[in-house]
Amino acid sequence: MDSIDGKIIAQLGQDSGLTSEELGGRVGLSPSAAHRRVKTLEQQGLILGYRARLSREARGNPSTVFVSVTLTDQRQATMMAFEQALARTAQVTEAHLMSGESDYLLKVLVHENDSYERIHREVLSALPGVHRLVTQFTIRTLATEE
């Protein structure tokens, strides 16, 4: 990866919908050269994909809840079972293995037609290996990459 590839990645990180012509103009390449570079970056696994940024309204005005999860133990089998079940949980949009007091930090979206109580009781508490859940509700989001 050279400096032009870095510029391409930076530009696509800000606006993944750029055409090859727009991208090439911003990084000093012809449209066809910009397109070839992007395809190479995709093949190398440096660009993993593209997505649309949706407004909260388009996503159903979900509430954001952060949940700290402590497992019964930190054995590999316990963590793998938890992570595999978590991957099938639609309400959890992010999961982070953490250092410190809890084992995982989850970002959960609760849509208007659902309740966190139901998600807590039927989904999160039912995940394998869960010992303790500590929930924090978002009051307001200040800034976001999405």
Side-chain angles (χ1 to χ4, degrees), residues 8-35:
I8 289 171
I9 288 172
Q11 289 297 315
L12 290 176
Q14 292 175 5
D15 183 357
S16 64
L18 291 172
T19 65
S20 295
E21 184 175 353
E22 293 167 331
L23 180 60
R26 292 184 185 189
V27 300
L29 294 174
S30 69
S32 60
H35 179 76

Side-chain angles (χ1 to χ4, degrees), residues 6 30-31 41 53 55 57-58 72 75 83 90 95 104 135 140-141:
S30 69
L41 291 167
R53 291 176 54 206
S55 69
E57 292 79 17
T72 55
R75 291 180 302 133
E83 290 177 13
Y104 292 89
T135 303
R140 178 170 47 107
T141 300

Side-chain angles (χ1 to χ4, degrees), residues 70-83:
T70 303
L71 299 180
T72 55
D73 58 64
Q74 292 184 333
R75 291 180 302 133
Q76 183 176 0
T78 303
M79 294 173 79
M80 284 181 58
F82 175 80
E83 290 177 13

Side-chain angles (χ1 to χ4, degrees), residues 1 5-13 16 23 34-51:
M1 190 166 102
D5 290 336
K7 290 177 184 177
I8 289 171
I9 288 172
Q11 289 297 315
L12 290 176
S16 64
L23 180 60
H35 179 76
R36 279 193 305 275
R37 292 260 189 150
V38 168
K39 290 300 173 195
T40 299
L41 291 167
E42 291 170 351
Q43 291 167 353
Q44 293 173 340
L46 296 171
I47 295 175
L48 300 176
Y50 305 90
R51 64 181 182 179

Side-chain angles (χ1 to χ4, degrees), residues 53-64 109-113 144 146:
R53 291 176 54 206
L54 303 176
S55 69
R56 288 185 58 76
E57 292 79 17
R59 292 183 283 135
N61 288 316
S63 297
T64 303
L109 295 184
V110 181
H111 295 277
E112 289 177 324
N113 60 349
T144 181
E146 298 185 59

Side-chain angles (χ1 to χ4, degrees), residues 70-138:
T70 303
L71 299 180
T72 55
D73 58 64
Q74 292 184 333
R75 291 180 302 133
Q76 183 176 0
T78 303
M79 294 173 79
M80 284 181 58
F82 175 80
E83 290 177 13
Q84 288 170 352
L86 190 64
R88 298 185 299 273
T89 305
Q91 296 90 343
V92 177
T93 60
E94 291 182 23
H96 305 270
L97 178 61
M98 304 296 290
S99 64
E101 191 172 321
S102 62
D103 296 310
Y104 292 89
L105 179 64
L106 310 180
K107 180 180 178 183
V108 178
L109 295 184
V110 181
H111 295 277
E112 289 177 324
N113 60 349
D114 205 349
S115 75
Y116 178 71
E117 178 188 4
R118 186 198 69 76
I119 294 169
H120 183 278
R121 184 180 61 249
E122 297 175 14
V123 179
L124 300 176
S125 295
L127 291 169
V130 170
H131 172 69
R132 182 172 182 232
L133 300 171
V134 177
T135 303
Q136 294 180 312
F137 290 85
T138 299

